[in-house]
Amino acid sequence: MSRISVRGFAVASATAVTTVGAVVGVASGSSQGSADPVEATAADATLLADISAGNHAQAQTASLTEQADAQSTAAEAEAKKSAEEAARKQAAKDAAAKKLAEEKKAAEAKAAKEREAELKAARSESRADASDFGVQSSYTVAEVQAMARQMVPGDQFQCFSNIVDHESSWNYRASNPSSGAYGLMQALPGSKMSSAGADWQTNPATQIKWGLGYMSDRYGGPCGAWEFWQANNWY
């Protein structure tokens, strides 16, 4: 029962009791002169009983109103408590998510910095140059790979090898007649490699030198080039 309905019931009960009392009083007063003492006593007793019943009804109504008020107050307090708890949990969840995102960002930045340092160190390593190898009329795959191992930084060699495997299968004379691509790295056009040496068509060391420069300038190194190659099938 709501506060309004309980209070309405209380008002109605009080009104009813007052009306009954008034009617009984009028009836008693109008017949007072002619009624005998026994009848007057009975009428008075009836009036007192009605008044007592009315007071009892009013007391019950007041009690119900107080109970309704108490229940409403308790419900409001519980709702407020629940809302505060939900807000606290959401705030904790948001804080945890923010912290996780910040930690992830910091870890990614650290990894990128370490990778850059590794690449820089790899580039600064003392490696063999194309001019360190004697010129031959021809080279086997094993000889070409041995040159590459001496020229390419150790931590980048596998990536370099993966690209050469796909592009030319380590054939330094590989030529694509339709596109004009040439050599170990399938430079397009092959004449690009002249920037590394005039013997780019016949010397695998010259081709390796050019390939390393190209991969480093464009992708940061052979592993960057290999990562791009895997996504696009070219580099």
Side-chain angles (χ1 to χ4, degrees):
M1 183 180 291
S2 67
R3 293 186 183 183
I4 295 176
S5 60
V6 170
R7 287 178 179 146
F9 174 74
V11 172
S13 298
T15 302
V17 170
T18 302
T19 303
V20 170
V23 172
V24 173
V26 171
S28 177
S30 63
S31 60
Q32 186 174 6
S34 59
D36 59 29
V38 175
E39 291 177 348
T41 300
D44 291 341
T46 300
L47 177 59
L48 290 174
D50 290 339
I51 292 174
S52 177
N55 290 338
H56 182 66
Q58 287 181 325
Q60 285 184 325
T61 300
S63 177
L64 289 173
T65 301
E66 291 175 358
Q67 290 179 15
D69 288 342
Q71 291 174 355
S72 177
T73 300
E76 290 174 357
E78 183 62 27
K80 182 179 179 181
K81 182 179 179 181
S82 297
E84 290 175 347
E85 180 65 15
R88 184 189 66 77
K89 289 182 178 180
Q90 186 61 46
K93 184 178 180 181
D94 292 343
K98 182 179 179 181
K99 182 179 179 181
L100 183 63
E102 291 175 348
E103 290 176 349
K104 182 179 179 181
K105 184 177 180 180
E108 290 175 348
K110 181 180 179 181
K113 187 175 181 180
E114 290 176 349
R115 181 179 178 185
E116 180 61 26
E118 290 174 357
L119 289 174
K120 186 176 181 180
R123 294 190 198 105
S124 64
E125 287 182 10
S126 178
R127 309 298 298 178
D129 186 73
S131 60
D132 295 333
F133 302 97
V135 177
Q136 301 176 192
S137 59
S138 63
Y139 302 85
T140 65
V141 169
E143 288 174 330
V144 175
Q145 290 177 336
M147 287 180 179
R149 286 187 180 279
Q150 295 178 63
M151 297 177 69
V152 180
D155 63 338
Q156 299 286 306
F157 177 78
Q158 189 57 56
C159 296
F160 183 89
S161 178
N162 291 340
I163 292 176
V164 176
D165 279 338
H166 284 283
E167 294 293 334
S168 64
S169 298
W170 290 93
N171 179 4
Y172 68 98
R173 292 183 182 273
S175 177
N176 187 326
S178 61
S179 67
Y182 186 87
L184 294 172
M185 268 64 65
Q186 287 293 282
L188 181 63
S191 58
K192 281 184 177 181
M193 294 186 288
S194 62
S195 61
D199 57 351
W200 59 271
Q201 290 178 297
T202 58
N203 191 340
T206 299
Q207 295 181 13
I208 293 169
K209 179 180 179 180
W210 177 86
L212 277 174
Y214 172 78
M215 294 176 191
S216 296
D217 291 343
R218 187 159 185 173
Y219 303 104
C223 285
W226 173 236
E227 183 177 348
F228 184 89
W229 196 102
Q230 291 178 90
N232 301 277
N233 291 322
W234 63 275
Y235 74 109

